[in-house]
Amino acid sequence: MSLIRIGQGYDVHAFGEGDGLMLGGIKVPFNKGFVAHSDGDVLLHALTDALLGALALGDIGHWFPDTDEQWRGADSGQLLQAVYAEIKKRGYVLGNADMTILAQRPKLAPHIEPIRERISELLGCPTTAISVKASTTEKLGFVGREEGITALATVLLMQRESQA
Ligand code: MG
C-alpha cells in the first residue's frame, strides 16, 4: 500500500422530532432532531466513511449495519473511534481531515470550533488537522427546504513509518 491514502465520505440525515442535533460529536440546540437508527450524527458518519474509504474498507453500513439492534441509538463518536482504531491497526494515522456541512438551518458558525475540538479529542489529533466548514445551499433543494442536513468529508491518511 502507498505511503499516503485519500478517502471521501458523504452522508445525509432527515430532520424529525427532537430538541437538537448531534453534529460532530456535540449537541447543537435546534427545534428538530435527526431521523436515524444511530444518534444521526451526519458529520461523524461522513468522516467515518472517509476513513474507511481511504483504506478501501467498505462503508459504515457494512461495519455497523442498521439492521443490527446492537447499534440502535449508537454514539457515532464511538463508531468513529472504533474505525480509527482499525485504521491505526493497519499502520496508518490521520494526516488531516476537511469537512463541509450543508445546512440551511440551524446557524452553525458558533458551533464550528467546539466541533473541531470534539473531533480532535475523539481522534487524539491536533485541531490543526481538523477542518470543519459550513454552508447553506441558498435555499435550494432538500437542504434549502430545511428537510435535513448533508455532510462531506475528505481525509488524508499517512503510513505511520512515513511520519518520521
Ligand atoms: Mg448516517
Side-chain angles (χ1 to χ4, degrees):
M1 290 247 263
S2 28
L3 294 178
I4 58 169
R5 303 275 299 194
I6 192 167
Q8 59 119 10
Y10 171 86
D11 198 28
V12 171
H13 278 283
F15 290 143
E17 297 276 299
D19 62 353
L21 306 169
M22 279 309 290
L23 203 55
I26 67 166
K27 181 131 180 207
V28 173
F30 194 42
N31 61 357
K32 296 170 185 170
F34 280 131
V35 179
H37 186 75
S38 68
D39 62 15
D41 195 322
V42 67
L43 183 60
L44 293 191
H45 292 177
L47 178 57
T48 303
D49 258 356
L51 288 171
L52 289 169
L55 293 190
L57 293 173
D59 62 27
I60 194 169
H62 167 80
W63 284 75
F64 311 105
D66 62 9
T67 47
D68 189 336
E69 279 306 307
Q70 190 186 343
W71 309 117
R72 181 172 292 280
D75 173 348
S76 299
Q78 283 177 5
L79 307 188
L80 173 68
Q81 285 181 316
V83 162
Y84 192 45
E86 290 293 329
I87 300 289
K88 287 190 286 189
K89 210 156 77 183
R90 286 163 171 81
Y92 285 84
V93 289
L94 182 71
N96 71 301
D98 185 24
M99 290 160 270
T100 303
I101 308 164
L102 299 177
Q104 195 62 45
R105 277 197 332 130
K107 206 166 180 35
L108 294 175
H111 306 291
I112 296 296
E113 285 312 308
I115 289 174
R116 288 181 65 214
E117 276 160 33
R118 180 64 187 143
I119 292 175
S120 4
E121 192 177 274
L122 285 167
L123 296 177
C125 72
T127 47
T128 49
I130 305 296
S131 160
V132 177
K133 311 184 298 300
S135 180
T136 71
T137 60
E138 300 293 341
K139 300 195 174 166
L140 296 171
F142 68 86
V143 167
R145 292 190 298 270
E146 298 178 19
E147 294 168 7
I149 285 185
T150 295
L152 304 108
T154 303
V155 302
L156 185 79
L157 299 184
M158 306 182 303
Q159 217 168 44
R160 219 173 262 167
E161 295 86 313
S162 72
Q163 275 195 306

